[in-house]
Amino acid sequence: MPRKGPEHSAIFDYIIVGAGSAGCVLANRLTESGKYRVLLLEAGGPDTNMWIHIPIGYGKLFKDRRVNWMYETEPEPELNNRRIFQPRGKVLGGSSSINGLIYLRGQRQDWDLWRQLGNAGWSFDDVLPYFKKSEDHVQGANGFHGTGGGLAVSYPHRHPLCDAFIQAGVETGLPQREEFNAGEQEGVGYFPITSRNGRRCSAAVAFLHPAMKRPNLTVITNALAQKILFEGKRAVGVQFSHAGQVTAARAAREVILSGGAINSPQLLQLSGWGPADLLQQHGIPVIENAPGVGNNLQDHLQVRMVFKCRQKVTVNDDYHHLGRRVAAGLEYLFHRRGALTTAAGYATAFFKTDPRYETPDCEVHFIPFSTDKMGDALHRFSGFTASVCQLRPESRGSIRIKSADPAIPPEIRMNYLSAEADRRVNVDSLRILRGIVNAPSMADYLLEEYEPGAGITGDDDLLAYCRARGSTIYHPTGTCAMGPNSGAVVSPALKLQGAEAIRVVDGSIMPRLISANANASIIMIGEKAADMILADAHGN
């Protein structure tokens, strides 16, 4: 059990619940000066699993309960009543230790909309310095990127299949884009990834491990938070279970929830802060009737297309051929290159399903391998995958506790495709993606469309495929939404509305889901929150 600093029976200045992407940043920044004592609680264990640090290892961790909460939704009405698997990191680094390594920030308009919704200080120009602060970009510092931060950002090695896909995108009218993180995204190119020298750079690697050398930081793993302790409406500590015992720690300044879009609203509800009828149903004394806690759940739905490849250049081929598999292992061991460095997206395209839109509303993840379902064995044929992801879904879901027992997973309802606009965008996106993959530059590689199959062409048939095969791309957000009014859960300073000495700092605070993979933005949220917390501390 990692533990640095004083025993956890002491009073700390700050208690952070959750050592995920934002929690690791906070632990680092709040202890930098040496002035404040910080306790970081993590329900999972240390990030010692070998596959955490090898980029393609996310496939091994997808269904590993040692590092993964392995949640699933309630039956989704618009997805043929299927339960949709929801992996979430349960380990130091949180989901940044098991995710697909993609580093994207979203569009300028995403952040400017947050500002227009009344969240002062959250426009693109406001948040850009915090993205840069955390970053150590392989290409050096410029107006949009930083160096010297903990988070390594690099690019994958080129792959012939990805090169062909990028050229195919150009042939269909998309610009080739080298930079996807300057506020504009339309185009096709390679994904930037959180990797350095062929190794994953999780939030734990980037921020937490350097901070754990400090005597003013205490990290307790395998510590499940049970509830926030309130005196009146002031948060004064956290009760948690560890090593078979229930104990508590007190916070002299603030309690900070960084459990993510599922666990943060769950903990608030368990603590008596949430929809009164729900809390009363489970015998939890109501401290604050806060109906917004757990609402506004948003996620990106992914619909994958799978293709058979004419040439044996895919990861499938490396995996199923003993000699190539050994060679891939040796290439990684000695050069940190090759198949084992493959992220969950290699090349990408951002496009508009309607030319009247100001910005792209779809993102493509192109990967040189294929499988029936993420986490399953790779196909035995040469295959590659291209998936569509609607960037700004209108469907909304919720998180609601099922029990007063914190060990019982909450009820997760995503309500994918419940909005007609979402159904339309997904069908249109599949058609556009199919056009890219069938462009001339892919002819040397495309053998046939395996799923859904070239014969699936009508709107109804394509929508039926979305319902049958659509799944998450792992970006749940929005359940403790930020806003300036009492209807929001947290203020623009991320303080819990109506409470004292408590903030929420993670992806749950997003009022609207950004047009990108979420991890980079959650790290940025941690950076910005740390500045606000320290500014308040210095003011006091």
PDB file of all heavy atoms in Angstrom, residues 227-259:
ATOM      1  N   LYS A 227     -18.577   7.763   2.409  1.00  0.00           N
ATOM      2  CA  LYS A 227     -19.380   8.979   2.391  1.00  0.00           C
ATOM      3  C   LYS A 227     -18.526  10.177   2.769  1.00  0.00           C
ATOM      4  O   LYS A 227     -17.470  10.041   3.403  1.00  0.00           O
ATOM      5  CB  LYS A 227     -20.583   8.874   3.320  1.00  0.00           C
ATOM      6  CG  LYS A 227     -20.259   8.759   4.791  1.00  0.00           C
ATOM      7  CD  LYS A 227     -21.566   8.697   5.610  1.00  0.00           C
ATOM      8  CE  LYS A 227     -21.290   8.547   7.094  1.00  0.00           C
ATOM      9  NZ  LYS A 227     -22.544   8.514   7.882  1.00  0.00           N
ATOM     10  N   ILE A 228     -18.994  11.332   2.378  1.00  0.00           N
ATOM     11  CA  ILE A 228     -18.395  12.593   2.793  1.00  0.00           C
ATOM     12  C   ILE A 228     -19.000  12.954   4.141  1.00  0.00           C
ATOM     13  O   ILE A 228     -20.212  12.820   4.351  1.00  0.00           O
ATOM     14  CB  ILE A 228     -18.695  13.697   1.766  1.00  0.00           C
ATOM     15  CG1 ILE A 228     -18.237  13.262   0.367  1.00  0.00           C
ATOM     16  CG2 ILE A 228     -18.026  15.005   2.166  1.00  0.00           C
ATOM     17  CD1 ILE A 228     -19.037  13.899  -0.728  1.00  0.00           C
ATOM     18  N   LEU A 229     -18.166  13.401   5.048  1.00  0.00           N
ATOM     19  CA  LEU A 229     -18.639  13.807   6.371  1.00  0.00           C
ATOM     20  C   LEU A 229     -18.966  15.296   6.349  1.00  0.00           C
ATOM     21  O   LEU A 229     -18.136  16.125   5.959  1.00  0.00           O
ATOM     22  CB  LEU A 229     -17.578  13.512   7.419  1.00  0.00           C
ATOM     23  CG  LEU A 229     -17.131  12.042   7.512  1.00  0.00           C
ATOM     24  CD1 LEU A 229     -15.991  11.889   8.503  1.00  0.00           C
ATOM     25  CD2 LEU A 229     -18.316  11.150   7.897  1.00  0.00           C
ATOM     26  N   PHE A 230     -20.188  15.627   6.708  1.00  0.00           N
ATOM     27  CA  PHE A 230     -20.633  17.013   6.740  1.00  0.00           C
ATOM     28  C   PHE A 230     -20.934  17.429   8.174  1.00  0.00           C
ATOM     29  O   PHE A 230     -21.425  16.625   8.982  1.00  0.00           O
ATOM     30  CB  PHE A 230     -21.917  17.187   5.920  1.00  0.00           C
ATOM     31  CG  PHE A 230     -21.720  17.197   4.429  1.00  0.00           C
ATOM     32  CD1 PHE A 230     -21.870  16.028   3.689  1.00  0.00           C
ATOM     33  CD2 PHE A 230     -21.398  18.367   3.764  1.00  0.00           C
ATOM     34  CE1 PHE A 230     -21.708  16.030   2.318  1.00  0.00           C
ATOM     35  CE2 PHE A 230     -21.235  18.386   2.387  1.00  0.00           C
ATOM     36  CZ  PHE A 230     -21.390  17.212   1.663  1.00  0.00           C
ATOM     37  N   GLU A 231     -20.631  18.660   8.488  1.00  0.00           N
ATOM     38  CA  GLU A 231     -21.142  19.323   9.679  1.00  0.00           C
ATOM     39  C   GLU A 231     -22.009  20.465   9.181  1.00  0.00           C
ATOM     40  O   GLU A 231     -21.495  21.453   8.645  1.00  0.00           O
ATOM     41  CB  GLU A 231     -19.999  19.829  10.567  1.00  0.00           C
ATOM     42  CG  GLU A 231     -19.218  18.688  11.211  1.00  0.00           C
ATOM     43  CD  GLU A 231     -18.073  19.158  12.092  1.00  0.00           C
ATOM     44  OE1 GLU A 231     -17.853  20.400  12.151  1.00  0.00           O
ATOM     45  OE2 GLU A 231     -17.406  18.293  12.706  1.00  0.00           O
ATOM     46  N   GLY A 232     -23.322  20.278   9.303  1.00  0.00           N
ATOM     47  CA  GLY A 232     -24.222  21.174   8.595  1.00  0.00           C
ATOM     48  C   GLY A 232     -24.038  20.934   7.114  1.00  0.00           C
ATOM     49  O   GLY A 232     -24.190  19.810   6.636  1.00  0.00           O
ATOM     50  N   LYS A 233     -23.676  21.988   6.400  1.00  0.00           N
ATOM     51  CA  LYS A 233     -23.422  21.843   4.965  1.00  0.00           C
ATOM     52  C   LYS A 233     -21.957  22.090   4.622  1.00  0.00           C
ATOM     53  O   LYS A 233     -21.614  22.342   3.471  1.00  0.00           O
ATOM     54  CB  LYS A 233     -24.344  22.753   4.165  1.00  0.00           C
ATOM     55  CG  LYS A 233     -25.805  22.332   4.295  1.00  0.00           C
ATOM     56  CD  LYS A 233     -26.726  23.057   3.345  1.00  0.00           C
ATOM     57  CE  LYS A 233     -28.159  22.530   3.507  1.00  0.00           C
ATOM     58  NZ  LYS A 233     -29.105  23.217   2.592  1.00  0.00           N
ATOM     59  N   ARG A 234     -21.129  21.970   5.629  1.00  0.00           N
ATOM     60  CA  ARG A 234     -19.682  22.087   5.417  1.00  0.00           C
ATOM     61  C   ARG A 234     -19.063  20.693   5.418  1.00  0.00           C
ATOM     62  O   ARG A 234     -19.262  19.910   6.364  1.00  0.00           O
ATOM     63  CB  ARG A 234     -19.038  22.942   6.496  1.00  0.00           C
ATOM     64  CG  ARG A 234     -17.526  23.094   6.314  1.00  0.00           C
ATOM     65  CD  ARG A 234     -16.885  23.924   7.417  1.00  0.00           C
ATOM     66  NE  ARG A 234     -15.449  24.038   7.204  1.00  0.00           N
ATOM     67  CZ  ARG A 234     -14.866  24.948   6.430  1.00  0.00           C
ATOM     68  NH1 ARG A 234     -15.617  25.861   5.816  1.00  0.00           N
ATOM     69  NH2 ARG A 234     -13.559  24.976   6.274  1.00  0.00           N
ATOM     70  N   ALA A 235     -18.317  20.379   4.373  1.00  0.00           N
ATOM     71  CA  ALA A 235     -17.610  19.100   4.313  1.00  0.00           C
ATOM     72  C   ALA A 235     -16.393  19.169   5.212  1.00  0.00           C
ATOM     73  O   ALA A 235     -15.588  20.110   5.119  1.00  0.00           O
ATOM     74  CB  ALA A 235     -17.185  18.796   2.879  1.00  0.00           C
ATOM     75  N   VAL A 236     -16.262  18.181   6.090  1.00  0.00           N
ATOM     76  CA  VAL A 236     -15.155  18.199   7.047  1.00  0.00           C
ATOM     77  C   VAL A 236     -14.270  16.960   6.951  1.00  0.00           C
ATOM     78  O   VAL A 236     -13.250  16.884   7.632  1.00  0.00           O
ATOM     79  CB  VAL A 236     -15.681  18.332   8.497  1.00  0.00           C
ATOM     80  CG1 VAL A 236     -16.393  19.659   8.684  1.00  0.00           C
ATOM     81  CG2 VAL A 236     -16.591  17.158   8.856  1.00  0.00           C
ATOM     82  N   GLY A 237     -14.647  15.995   6.116  1.00  0.00           N
ATOM     83  CA  GLY A 237     -13.817  14.806   6.015  1.00  0.00           C
ATOM     84  C   GLY A 237     -14.450  13.743   5.145  1.00  0.00           C
ATOM     85  O   GLY A 237     -15.488  13.966   4.502  1.00  0.00           O
ATOM     86  N   VAL A 238     -13.818  12.572   5.142  1.00  0.00           N
ATOM     87  CA  VAL A 238     -14.281  11.438   4.337  1.00  0.00           C
ATOM     88  C   VAL A 238     -14.196  10.174   5.184  1.00  0.00           C
ATOM     89  O   VAL A 238     -13.174   9.925   5.845  1.00  0.00           O
ATOM     90  CB  VAL A 238     -13.429  11.271   3.063  1.00  0.00           C
ATOM     91  CG1 VAL A 238     -13.895  10.048   2.271  1.00  0.00           C
ATOM     92  CG2 VAL A 238     -13.484  12.524   2.193  1.00  0.00           C
ATOM     93  N   GLN A 239     -15.252   9.391   5.141  1.00  0.00           N
ATOM     94  CA  GLN A 239     -15.233   8.059   5.743  1.00  0.00           C
ATOM     95  C   GLN A 239     -14.934   7.055   4.649  1.00  0.00           C
ATOM     96  O   GLN A 239     -15.504   7.117   3.564  1.00  0.00           O
ATOM     97  CB  GLN A 239     -16.594   7.756   6.378  1.00  0.00           C
ATOM     98  CG  GLN A 239     -16.703   6.367   6.996  1.00  0.00           C
ATOM     99  CD  GLN A 239     -18.058   6.151   7.628  1.00  0.00           C
ATOM    100  OE1 GLN A 239     -18.429   6.849   8.586  1.00  0.00           O
ATOM    101  NE2 GLN A 239     -18.818   5.193   7.095  1.00  0.00           N
ATOM    102  N   PHE A 240     -14.020   6.116   4.933  1.00  0.00           N
ATOM    103  CA  PHE A 240     -13.634   5.147   3.909  1.00  0.00           C
ATOM    104  C   PHE A 240     -13.269   3.826   4.556  1.00  0.00           C
ATOM    105  O   PHE A 240     -12.955   3.744   5.753  1.00  0.00           O
ATOM    106  CB  PHE A 240     -12.466   5.666   3.065  1.00  0.00           C
ATOM    107  CG  PHE A 240     -11.196   5.954   3.826  1.00  0.00           C
ATOM    108  CD1 PHE A 240     -10.156   5.028   3.874  1.00  0.00           C
ATOM    109  CD2 PHE A 240     -11.022   7.173   4.487  1.00  0.00           C
ATOM    110  CE1 PHE A 240      -8.986   5.295   4.567  1.00  0.00           C
ATOM    111  CE2 PHE A 240      -9.852   7.454   5.180  1.00  0.00           C
ATOM    112  CZ  PHE A 240      -8.824   6.504   5.222  1.00  0.00           C
ATOM    113  N   SER A 241     -13.332   2.778   3.773  1.00  0.00           N
ATOM    114  CA  SER A 241     -12.950   1.454   4.247  1.00  0.00           C
ATOM    115  C   SER A 241     -11.580   1.106   3.676  1.00  0.00           C
ATOM    116  O   SER A 241     -11.273   1.420   2.524  1.00  0.00           O
ATOM    117  CB  SER A 241     -13.975   0.403   3.816  1.00  0.00           C
ATOM    118  OG  SER A 241     -14.100   0.359   2.409  1.00  0.00           O
ATOM    119  N   HIS A 242     -10.774   0.464   4.520  1.00  0.00           N
ATOM    120  CA  HIS A 242      -9.425   0.089   4.104  1.00  0.00           C
ATOM    121  C   HIS A 242      -8.953  -1.057   4.990  1.00  0.00           C
ATOM    122  O   HIS A 242      -9.090  -1.008   6.219  1.00  0.00           O
ATOM    123  CB  HIS A 242      -8.474   1.287   4.225  1.00  0.00           C
ATOM    124  CG  HIS A 242      -7.045   0.927   3.952  1.00  0.00           C
ATOM    125  ND1 HIS A 242      -6.588   0.610   2.692  1.00  0.00           N
ATOM    126  CD2 HIS A 242      -5.974   0.802   4.784  1.00  0.00           C
ATOM    127  CE1 HIS A 242      -5.301   0.322   2.762  1.00  0.00           C
ATOM    128  NE2 HIS A 242      -4.907   0.419   4.021  1.00  0.00           N
ATOM    129  N   ALA A 243      -8.411  -2.085   4.341  1.00  0.00           N
ATOM    130  CA  ALA A 243      -7.857  -3.229   5.073  1.00  0.00           C
ATOM    131  C   ALA A 243      -8.874  -3.820   6.051  1.00  0.00           C
ATOM    132  O   ALA A 243      -8.535  -4.184   7.186  1.00  0.00           O
ATOM    133  CB  ALA A 243      -6.574  -2.823   5.800  1.00  0.00           C
ATOM    134  N   GLY A 244     -10.132  -3.871   5.617  1.00  0.00           N
ATOM    135  CA  GLY A 244     -11.170  -4.492   6.432  1.00  0.00           C
ATOM    136  C   GLY A 244     -11.724  -3.629   7.537  1.00  0.00           C
ATOM    137  O   GLY A 244     -12.544  -4.105   8.332  1.00  0.00           O
ATOM    138  N   GLN A 245     -11.295  -2.395   7.602  1.00  0.00           N
ATOM    139  CA  GLN A 245     -11.779  -1.498   8.658  1.00  0.00           C
ATOM    140  C   GLN A 245     -12.358  -0.234   8.055  1.00  0.00           C
ATOM    141  O   GLN A 245     -11.966   0.198   6.964  1.00  0.00           O
ATOM    142  CB  GLN A 245     -10.629  -1.122   9.605  1.00  0.00           C
ATOM    143  CG  GLN A 245     -10.073  -2.295  10.409  1.00  0.00           C
ATOM    144  CD  GLN A 245      -9.026  -1.834  11.411  1.00  0.00           C
ATOM    145  OE1 GLN A 245      -8.274  -0.894  11.165  1.00  0.00           O
ATOM    146  NE2 GLN A 245      -8.999  -2.485  12.569  1.00  0.00           N
ATOM    147  N   VAL A 246     -13.309   0.357   8.773  1.00  0.00           N
ATOM    148  CA  VAL A 246     -13.873   1.645   8.379  1.00  0.00           C
ATOM    149  C   VAL A 246     -13.206   2.722   9.217  1.00  0.00           C
ATOM    150  O   VAL A 246     -13.125   2.618  10.447  1.00  0.00           O
ATOM    151  CB  VAL A 246     -15.398   1.670   8.585  1.00  0.00           C
ATOM    152  CG1 VAL A 246     -15.950   3.055   8.284  1.00  0.00           C
ATOM    153  CG2 VAL A 246     -16.067   0.632   7.699  1.00  0.00           C
ATOM    154  N   THR A 247     -12.691   3.722   8.562  1.00  0.00           N
ATOM    155  CA  THR A 247     -11.995   4.796   9.259  1.00  0.00           C
ATOM    156  C   THR A 247     -12.395   6.116   8.624  1.00  0.00           C
ATOM    157  O   THR A 247     -13.177   6.158   7.669  1.00  0.00           O
ATOM    158  CB  THR A 247     -10.471   4.596   9.195  1.00  0.00           C
ATOM    159  OG1 THR A 247      -9.823   5.583  10.008  1.00  0.00           O
ATOM    160  CG2 THR A 247      -9.958   4.699   7.772  1.00  0.00           C
ATOM    161  N   ALA A 248     -11.884   7.201   9.141  1.00  0.00           N
ATOM    162  CA  ALA A 248     -12.215   8.523   8.621  1.00  0.00           C
ATOM    163  C   ALA A 248     -10.994   9.417   8.681  1.00  0.00           C
ATOM    164  O   ALA A 248     -10.098   9.225   9.511  1.00  0.00           O
ATOM    165  CB  ALA A 248     -13.360   9.147   9.417  1.00  0.00           C
ATOM    166  N   ALA A 249     -10.955  10.364   7.787  1.00  0.00           N
ATOM    167  CA  ALA A 249      -9.922  11.403   7.800  1.00  0.00           C
ATOM    168  C   ALA A 249     -10.619  12.747   7.699  1.00  0.00           C
ATOM    169  O   ALA A 249     -11.683  12.865   7.078  1.00  0.00           O
ATOM    170  CB  ALA A 249      -8.949  11.205   6.644  1.00  0.00           C
ATOM    171  N   ARG A 250     -10.036  13.750   8.309  1.00  0.00           N
ATOM    172  CA  ARG A 250     -10.646  15.074   8.324  1.00  0.00           C
ATOM    173  C   ARG A 250      -9.842  16.041   7.472  1.00  0.00           C
ATOM    174  O   ARG A 250      -8.613  15.931   7.368  1.00  0.00           O
ATOM    175  CB  ARG A 250     -10.766  15.591   9.762  1.00  0.00           C
ATOM    176  CG  ARG A 250     -11.774  14.794  10.584  1.00  0.00           C
ATOM    177  CD  ARG A 250     -11.901  15.336  11.992  1.00  0.00           C
ATOM    178  NE  ARG A 250     -12.502  16.685  12.049  1.00  0.00           N
ATOM    179  CZ  ARG A 250     -13.808  16.909  12.062  1.00  0.00           C
ATOM    180  NH1 ARG A 250     -14.668  15.894  12.003  1.00  0.00           N
ATOM    181  NH2 ARG A 250     -14.269  18.146  12.145  1.00  0.00           N
ATOM    182  N   ALA A 251     -10.570  16.982   6.867  1.00  0.00           N
ATOM    183  CA  ALA A 251      -9.959  17.987   6.001  1.00  0.00           C
ATOM    184  C   ALA A 251     -10.145  19.366   6.625  1.00  0.00           C
ATOM    185  O   ALA A 251     -11.281  19.794   6.864  1.00  0.00           O
ATOM    186  CB  ALA A 251     -10.593  17.949   4.617  1.00  0.00           C
ATOM    187  N   ALA A 252      -9.040  20.045   6.875  1.00  0.00           N
ATOM    188  CA  ALA A 252      -9.118  21.372   7.472  1.00  0.00           C
ATOM    189  C   ALA A 252      -9.565  22.420   6.462  1.00  0.00           C
ATOM    190  O   ALA A 252     -10.190  23.424   6.839  1.00  0.00           O
ATOM    191  CB  ALA A 252      -7.757  21.752   8.054  1.00  0.00           C
ATOM    192  N   ARG A 253      -9.247  22.179   5.193  1.00  0.00           N
ATOM    193  CA  ARG A 253      -9.591  23.169   4.170  1.00  0.00           C
ATOM    194  C   ARG A 253     -10.713  22.680   3.237  1.00  0.00           C
ATOM    195  O   ARG A 253     -11.779  23.256   3.222  1.00  0.00           O
ATOM    196  CB  ARG A 253      -8.347  23.548   3.358  1.00  0.00           C
ATOM    197  CG  ARG A 253      -7.339  24.359   4.165  1.00  0.00           C
ATOM    198  CD  ARG A 253      -6.148  24.767   3.314  1.00  0.00           C
ATOM    199  NE  ARG A 253      -5.233  25.630   4.065  1.00  0.00           N
ATOM    200  CZ  ARG A 253      -5.327  26.949   4.156  1.00  0.00           C
ATOM    201  NH1 ARG A 253      -6.307  27.568   3.529  1.00  0.00           N
ATOM    202  NH2 ARG A 253      -4.459  27.640   4.861  1.00  0.00           N
ATOM    203  N   GLU A 254     -10.439  21.614   2.463  1.00  0.00           N
ATOM    204  CA  GLU A 254     -11.450  21.185   1.492  1.00  0.00           C
ATOM    205  C   GLU A 254     -11.403  19.677   1.272  1.00  0.00           C
ATOM    206  O   GLU A 254     -10.330  19.057   1.359  1.00  0.00           O
ATOM    207  CB  GLU A 254     -11.244  21.864   0.125  1.00  0.00           C
ATOM    208  CG  GLU A 254     -11.476  23.349   0.115  1.00  0.00           C
ATOM    209  CD  GLU A 254     -11.450  23.920  -1.306  1.00  0.00           C
ATOM    210  OE1 GLU A 254     -11.706  23.157  -2.271  1.00  0.00           O
ATOM    211  OE2 GLU A 254     -11.158  25.123  -1.450  1.00  0.00           O
ATOM    212  N   VAL A 255     -12.562  19.131   0.930  1.00  0.00           N
ATOM    213  CA  VAL A 255     -12.685  17.799   0.361  1.00  0.00           C
ATOM    214  C   VAL A 255     -12.885  17.973  -1.145  1.00  0.00           C
ATOM    215  O   VAL A 255     -13.689  18.813  -1.572  1.00  0.00           O
ATOM    216  CB  VAL A 255     -13.872  17.023   0.966  1.00  0.00           C
ATOM    217  CG1 VAL A 255     -14.096  15.699   0.232  1.00  0.00           C
ATOM    218  CG2 VAL A 255     -13.642  16.791   2.451  1.00  0.00           C
ATOM    219  N   ILE A 256     -12.162  17.181  -1.936  1.00  0.00           N
ATOM    220  CA  ILE A 256     -12.226  17.305  -3.395  1.00  0.00           C
ATOM    221  C   ILE A 256     -12.592  15.946  -3.982  1.00  0.00           C
ATOM    222  O   ILE A 256     -11.868  14.969  -3.777  1.00  0.00           O
ATOM    223  CB  ILE A 256     -10.887  17.788  -3.973  1.00  0.00           C
ATOM    224  CG1 ILE A 256     -10.432  19.083  -3.290  1.00  0.00           C
ATOM    225  CG2 ILE A 256     -11.006  17.986  -5.481  1.00  0.00           C
ATOM    226  CD1 ILE A 256      -8.978  19.418  -3.529  1.00  0.00           C
ATOM    227  N   LEU A 257     -13.709  15.888  -4.698  1.00  0.00           N
ATOM    228  CA  LEU A 257     -14.128  14.647  -5.330  1.00  0.00           C
ATOM    229  C   LEU A 257     -13.575  14.585  -6.753  1.00  0.00           C
ATOM    230  O   LEU A 257     -13.842  15.470  -7.569  1.00  0.00           O
ATOM    231  CB  LEU A 257     -15.647  14.542  -5.379  1.00  0.00           C
ATOM    232  CG  LEU A 257     -16.400  14.661  -4.057  1.00  0.00           C
ATOM    233  CD1 LEU A 257     -17.859  14.264  -4.243  1.00  0.00           C
ATOM    234  CD2 LEU A 257     -15.758  13.805  -2.982  1.00  0.00           C
ATOM    235  N   SER A 258     -12.831  13.526  -7.024  1.00  0.00           N
ATOM    236  CA  SER A 258     -12.259  13.305  -8.358  1.00  0.00           C
ATOM    237  C   SER A 258     -12.472  11.858  -8.786  1.00  0.00           C
ATOM    238  O   SER A 258     -11.589  11.221  -9.339  1.00  0.00           O
ATOM    239  CB  SER A 258     -10.768  13.661  -8.361  1.00  0.00           C
ATOM    240  OG  SER A 258     -10.563  15.033  -8.126  1.00  0.00           O
ATOM    241  N   GLY A 259     -13.675  11.363  -8.500  1.00  0.00           N
ATOM    242  CA  GLY A 259     -13.975   9.971  -8.800  1.00  0.00           C
ATOM    243  C   GLY A 259     -14.470   9.724 -10.198  1.00  0.00           C
ATOM    244  O   GLY A 259     -14.635   8.573 -10.601  1.00  0.00           O
TER     245      GLY A 259
END
